[in-house]
Amino acid sequence: GTAKRQTVNTNARHQLAPLSKMATIIELKFKLPVDKENKATVLRLYDFSRPHMRAFHFNWLAFFFSFFAWFAINPLVPYVRVSIGLCSNGGWDVLTDPRQCICSNACKRTLQNGNILNVVGAVAMRLVMGTWVENAGPRFSMAFIVIAFALPVAGIGLVTNAAGYIAARFFIGGIGSSFVVCQFWSSVMFSPNVVGAANATVGGWGNL
């Protein structure tokens, strides 16, 4: 019986040895100090080491591109409303300056509907992305958002009427769901003692 117990104990030690070595390897592969869940316990903004700080910088950059694309059309609206014929006093064949545009009630209604549906698109996609990111992970989810919603951002330049403008604004709104992924990604990379600062920084830099 004693010999059998010794054999069992020896086998157990042999089985645990690779796990111990694996734990040492995992601990050594992180440049930043981590907690028991392998989340970074410090936030070093000047660091680009993987996986924590590299994810941090790619995270806020992707959110910045998304946020920029989300509102890129807004300063161009004075030109867009002339180009798609919303001005009651004519288009570029008559007007030489977008400030000459007389935006009637129909024109204002089109712009307002575009703004409303832009927000609706963002809210709807955020609800979808909340579940999506938990299953697909933040890297794939962020890549999908940036690539997929680049299409309506580029496509709005081809719009020729009010209906097309409103539709494009709706689909562009979906890129606002990148905020959900941004906060999720940061939360899984950083420990509770610094996750607040990490979330605030990626969100703030993304909104620059």
Side-chain angles (χ1 to χ4, degrees), residues 44-128:
R44 296 175 183 166
L45 300 179
Y46 54 85
D47 197 333
F48 291 85
S49 60
R50 58 186 309 181
H52 302 93
M53 292 312 301
R54 186 171 298 184
F56 173 87
H57 289 294
F58 277 117
N59 188 9
W60 77 260
L61 275 171
F63 181 50
F64 171 79
F65 292 139
S66 301
F67 198 80
F68 183 87
W70 191 9
F71 294 102
I73 195 63
N74 288 9
L76 300 176
V77 166
Y79 296 89
V80 172
R81 65 185 183 180
V82 180
S83 296
I84 63 177
L86 296 182
C87 301
S88 58
N89 57 333
W92 288 120
D93 55 333
V94 177
L95 306 179
T96 58
D97 191 317
R99 290 173 294 184
Q100 297 173 344
C101 173
I102 298 177
C103 192
S104 62
N105 289 335
C107 170
K108 293 176 181 178
R109 191 161 49 249
T110 297
L111 299 180
Q112 290 170 355
N113 289 340
N115 291 337
I116 292 171
L117 286 180
N118 184 255
V119 175
V120 170
V123 172
M125 194 61 194
R126 285 183 179 188
L127 293 175
V128 173

Side-chain angles (χ1 to χ4, degrees), residues 11 28 47 53 68 80 95 114 134 143 156 159 189:
N11 291 337
L28 291 177
D47 197 333
M53 292 312 301
F68 183 87
V80 172
L95 306 179
E134 291 177 346
I156 198 170
V159 166
M189 298 304 294

